C-alpha cells in the first residue's frame, strides 16, 4: 500500500491579527522543527500571507490561501487571484470550503475553475467537500460528496492529481463540536477513495491524501487518524493556538 504522509492543516479563517499570527507562526516554526513525518500548513487571511511566508522561510511549515478567484485577472473588485497568492509566498490554496459554498453561494462550476486557477499558479490545492445535515439525514451524503468531488476535479488531469488533496468536511461538524465519528468519517473517506479510483485509476487514488475536517481537537485527533483512509486533518478553531495545534500535529504520540 502507498505510504501517505499525514497532512495537518490549520485554516485560520477570519481570525488572528498580524501580531497574533506571527507569534503563532514563530511557535510552530520552533516546535515543528524539521520533522518530515508529518506535513504542516497554515492558511492565514490573505493579507498576512507575505509576512508569514517570510517568517516561516526555511521551515517545513507551509503557507497557503483560504480561497482564490476563479478568474486570473481583471475587474473583480475585492478578489485575489491564485497567481497573487503564489506571488505573496503561498504554496497552497483551499478551494470549495463549505463557508464559501454555503455562506457565499459558490457553485461547483466556480469551485472547478478555482481548482484550475490554483494549479495553473503552481499551488497545491485542497478541495473541500461535505454534506449539510439535511443532506445526511436524507441519505444523500454519498451523492453530494461524489458530485462535489467529480465536479471539483473535472478540470484536473491525471498528472496533476499528485498536487491535489481532498478534505472531507461534513458541514454539520464544522465549528459545532460535533465531530464525525471515526466510523462516519471512515465510510465517506473510503467511498471517496474508491470513487477517485474510478475517475483516475487505483494508483492515483491510493496516493491521494484525504483530510478530515470538522471539530478536530487534541482529544479526538488520534482516533480519527487511526481510520485507514483518514490521512490528515483540516483544522479550524483548534489551529488558532499552538497549545491545541501542536498536539494535533503530534497526534501519534499525543
Ligand atoms: P473547526 O475545526 O473549527 O470545526 O473548522 C473546521 C474547518 O472548517 C476547517 O476548514
Amino acid at each position: 500500500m502507498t505510504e501517505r504522509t499525514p497532512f495537518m492543516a490549520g485554516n485560520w479563517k477570519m481570525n488572528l491579527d498580524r501580531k497574533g499570527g506571527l507569534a503563532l507562526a514563530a511557535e510552530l516554526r520552533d516546535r515543528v522543527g524539521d520533522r518530515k513525518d508529518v506535513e504542516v500548513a497554515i492558511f492565514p487571511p490573505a493579507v498576512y500571507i507575505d509576512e508569514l511566508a517570510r517568517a516561516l522561510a526555511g521551515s517545513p511549515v507551509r503557507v497557503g490561501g483560504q480561497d482564490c478567484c476563479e478568474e486570473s485577472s481583471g475587474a473583480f473588485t475585492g478578489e485575489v487571484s491564485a497567481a497573487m497568492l503564489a506571488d505573496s509566498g503561498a504554496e497552497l490554496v483551499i478551494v470549495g470550503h463549505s463557508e464559501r459554498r454555503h455562506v457565499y453561494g459558490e457553485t461547483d462550476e466556480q469551485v472547478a475553475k478555482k481548482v484550475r486557477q490554483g494549479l495553473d499558479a503552481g499551488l497545491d490545492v485542497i478541495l473541500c467537500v461535505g454534506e449539510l445535515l439535511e443532506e445526511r439525514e436524507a441519505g444523500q451524503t454519498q451523492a453530494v460528496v461524489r458530485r462535489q468531488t467529480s465536479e471539483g476535479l473535472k478540470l484536473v488531469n491525471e498528472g496533476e492529481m499528485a498536487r491535489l488533496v481532498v478534505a472531507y468536511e461534513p458541514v454539520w461538524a464544522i465549528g459545532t463540536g460535533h465531530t464525525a465519528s471515526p466510523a462516519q468519517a471512515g465510510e465517506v473517506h473510503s467511498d471517496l477513495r474508491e470513487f477517485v479510483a474510478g475517475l483516475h485509476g487505483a494508483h492515483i487514488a491510493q496516493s491521494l491524501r484525504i483530510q478530515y475536517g470538522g471539530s478536530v481537537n487534541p482529544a479526538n485527533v488520534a482516533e480519527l487518524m487511526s481510520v485507514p483512509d483518514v490521512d490528515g486533518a483540516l483544522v479550524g478553531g483548534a489551529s488558532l493556538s499552538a497549545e491545541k495545534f501542536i498536539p494535533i500535529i503530534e497526534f501519534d504520540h499525543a
Side-chain angles (χ1 to χ4, degrees), residues 136 168 180-190 212 224 227 229-230:
R136 171 162 284 265
Y168 169 55
S181 67
Q184 285 172 320
E187 189 182 3
V188 176
H189 282 234
S190 57
Y212 167 79
L224 286 161
V227 177
D229 283 304
V230 174

Side-chain angles (χ1 to χ4, degrees), residues 9-11 13 94 97-99 128 167 169 173-177 213-217 234-239:
N11 174 10
K13 309 190 180 183
I94 295 172
H97 190 278
S98 82
E99 286 141 26
C128 299
E169 299 203 304
I174 296 177
T176 59
S215 298
V216 173
N217 62 44
L234 182 53
V235 186
S239 74

Side-chain angles (χ1 to χ4, degrees), residues 79-175:
E79 291 291 297
V80 175
S81 72
M84 290 167 182
L85 295 176
D87 197 27
S88 300
E91 294 181 22
L92 316 93
V93 64
I94 295 172
V95 169
H97 190 278
S98 82
E99 286 141 26
R100 301 301 318 171
R101 292 180 190 266
H102 300 297
V103 181
Y104 296 99
E106 219 165 271
T107 63
D108 284 332
E109 189 68 33
Q110 283 173 295
V111 171
K113 288 169 83 178
K114 289 181 180 206
V115 170
R116 190 62 256 156
Q117 289 290 333
L119 292 171
D120 286 345
L123 302 173
D124 291 347
V125 175
I126 299 181
L127 169 66
C128 299
V129 300
E131 81 288 0
L132 295 162
L133 182 59
E134 55 263 39
E135 291 168 335
R136 171 162 284 265
E137 286 173 349
Q140 295 166 350
T141 299
Q142 184 192 55
V144 169
V145 167
R146 285 184 167 209
R147 188 203 75 230
Q148 291 176 339
T149 304
S150 61
E151 290 295 304
L153 297 179
K154 76 177 174 193
L155 304 177
V156 181
N157 66 44
E158 247 173 69
E160 292 165 330
M161 281 300 291
R163 292 166 54 204
L164 251 294
V165 172
V166 174
Y168 169 55
E169 299 203 304
V171 181
W172 47 272
I174 296 177

Side-chain angles (χ1 to χ4, degrees), residues 61-84:
V61 179
R62 302 201 295 159
V63 180
Q66 299 174 9
D67 182 35
C68 65
C69 185
E70 68 265 38
E71 304 294 340
S72 52
S73 67
F76 302 101
T77 301
E79 291 291 297
V80 175
S81 72
M84 290 167 182

